[in-house]
């Protein structure tokens, strides 16, 4: 059997768009991915649908897989002839133990490549408005582990060298040892008034910062109950933050949005929300199987509603395959979302949203096997959709680490599929959405939410991305800035 190959990939610091091109290419060809807690799980959606996903997350008090087991598993999967990706948060060479993994692969004579990533020690400060070097404030920069493998976990560092020779110091995952760090820096000559900032979940929309000095930061951290994952940055360059902070000024910064998803791929709506500074979790993840399509009396309907952009393509593939003259279809076309409208537009058809669809006339809904979109309609099933169950535990972990404050239903079809997905996760929709702002894209969607027994807090003026962003800006959640 031919030996496979392992890619040891840096996933970047959190923002899914910060992965390298080469890292993303590795994920797209992977047959097995072993991923860490700090690698953004959204990256896994770029993997092939049949890719095996193995969680290797580590917390201070427990390890899902120990490092020795990870080393052996990488070699084992590659020796089966598979393309394996080891996906690690930040850069694999910066406290990522990539040296141990690479040495184990070399021992087993398994081919491998190391793909660098953006380190959180540089990226998190930049997202907080702090360059780690500056000609007037900092000519040197160091990344330092804030704990070691000793019983006490306190790092044995050249404190004097750090104080004398380094202007900006980034300590990784050191919240628990913060008093020890501050005491040693002051004891070895660092001024007690030196600025310190902690950056939690850097580059995510949930990013939080806490600023102080070596003298008072430990007390502030205790009072704020600040925790890892966080970068501790020490140095006078932090003073630049007041002038060049940018990420926290984005319109949707602080929004942690749960977006109901009906299609297989990531939505353009999610991308737009992220570009405005929000954290977005799309749920659930679906996989589809195309079905043979019998068009029947499709020419006789007054209205045809396409439930998804995929359904548009599946419908016209069937029309072309059957040799039907599209001009004989007299129906007006409608889309369940703006994505469906755009898919029809690409094929030369002007369509309107479901919100603008008149009540009168016969209706055919084209889409997958979800028949909860609209009552009193006929359905043309073009594909069978089912939950991608391997993503359910991933979603549960994402929810545990997030603090969702906004729920967005983009269309009526999303309501049933969302609640179905939650049931598979043993999550109660009412409990999950308690104290969460629920936003609906259009009246039909609002009606579907209320039929499901959920409370809708409002909706934008129109079912467009722009209108949604404007609505969220004008209607902040409790606790937002």
């Amino acid at each position: 059997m031919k030996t496979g190959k392992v890619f040891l990939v840096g996933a970047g610091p959190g923002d899914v768009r910060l992965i390298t091109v080469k890292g993303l290419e590795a994920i797209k060809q992977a047959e097995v991915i072993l991923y860490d807690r700090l690698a953004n799980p959204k990256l896994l959606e770029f993997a092939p649908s049949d890719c095996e996903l193995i969680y290797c997350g580590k917390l201070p008090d427990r390890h899902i897989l120990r490092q020795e087991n990870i080393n052996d598993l990488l070699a084992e999967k590659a020796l089966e002839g598979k393309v394996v990706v080891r996906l690690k948060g930040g850069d694999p060479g910066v406290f990522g133990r990539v040296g141990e993994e690479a040495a184990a692969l070399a021992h087993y004579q398994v081919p491998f490549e190391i793909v660098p990533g953006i380190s959180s020690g540089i990226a998190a400060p930049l997202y907080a408005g702090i360059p780690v070097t500056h000609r007037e404030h900092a000519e040197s920069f160091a990344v330092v582990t804030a704990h070691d493998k000793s019983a006490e976990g306190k790092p044995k560092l050249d404190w004097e060298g750090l104080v004398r020779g380094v202007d900006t110091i980034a300590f990784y995952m050191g919240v628990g040892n913060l008093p020890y760090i501050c005491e040693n820096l002051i004891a070895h000559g660092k001024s007690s008034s030196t600025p310190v900032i902690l950056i939690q979940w850097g580059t995510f929309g949930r990013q939080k910062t806490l600023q102080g000095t070596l003298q008072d930061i430990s007390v502030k951290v205790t009072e704020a109950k600040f925790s890892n994952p966080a970068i501790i940055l020490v140095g006078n360059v932090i003073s630049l933050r007041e002038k060049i902070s940018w990420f926290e000024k984005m319109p949707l910064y602080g929004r942690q949005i749960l977006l109901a998803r009906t299609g297989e791929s990531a939505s353009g709506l999610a991308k737009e929300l992220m570009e405005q500074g929000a954290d977005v979790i799309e749920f659930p993840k679906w996989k589809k199987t195309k079905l043979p399509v019998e068009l029947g009396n499709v020419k006789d309907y007054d209205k045809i509603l396409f439930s998804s952009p995929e359904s548009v393509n599946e419908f016209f593939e069937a029309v072309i395959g059957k040799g039907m003259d599209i001009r004989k279809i007299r129906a007006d076309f409608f889309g369940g979302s703006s994505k469906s409208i755009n898919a029809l537009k690409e094929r030369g058809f002007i369509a309107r949203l479901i919100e603008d669809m008149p009540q009168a006339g016969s209706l055919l809904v084209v889409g997958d096997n979800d028949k909860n979109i609209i009552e009193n309609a006929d359905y043309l099933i073009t594909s069978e959709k089912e939950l991608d169950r391997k993503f359910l535990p991933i979603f549960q972990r994402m929810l545990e680490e997030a603090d969702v404050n906004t729920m967005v239903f983009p269309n009526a079809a999303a309501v049933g599929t969302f609640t179905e997905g939650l049931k598979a996760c043993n999550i109660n929709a009412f409990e999950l959405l308690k104290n969460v702002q629920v936003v609906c894209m259009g009246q039909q969607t609002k009606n579907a939410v209320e039929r499901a027994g959920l409370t809708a807090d409002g909706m934008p003026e129109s079912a467009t991305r722009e209108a949604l962003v404007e609505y969220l800006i004008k209607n902040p959640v409790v606790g937002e800035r």
Side-chain angles (χ1 to χ4, degrees), residues 40-42 45 204 206 255-261 267 270 273-274 278-285 391 394-408 418 432:
N40 192 327
K42 290 174 72 69
E45 298 190 12
F204 281 92
R206 74 191 80 155
R255 285 277 184 172
Q256 296 187 56
I257 299 173
L258 185 55
L259 176 62
R261 173 163 57 185
S267 73
L273 294 170
M274 289 170 62
D279 230 357
V280 182
I281 299 174
E282 295 182 82
F283 177 80
K285 179 78 166 61
F391 277 88
I394 295 171
F395 170 74
Q396 288 172 307
R397 284 194 295 273
M398 292 173 76
L399 269 189
E400 287 172 5
E401 296 189 328
D403 186 14
V404 172
N405 53 33
T406 308
M407 174 77 223
V408 174
F418 177 78
L432 177 65

Side-chain angles (χ1 to χ4, degrees), residues 93-131:
V94 180
F95 309 125
R97 303 186 74 169
V98 73
E100 297 168 50
E101 294 173 353
L105 294 171
H107 172 76
Y108 287 107
Q109 297 184 325
V110 171
F112 65 88
E113 288 188 33
I114 302 176
V115 183
I118 298 174
S119 179
S120 56
I122 297 172
L126 283 173
Y127 269 57
I130 307 164

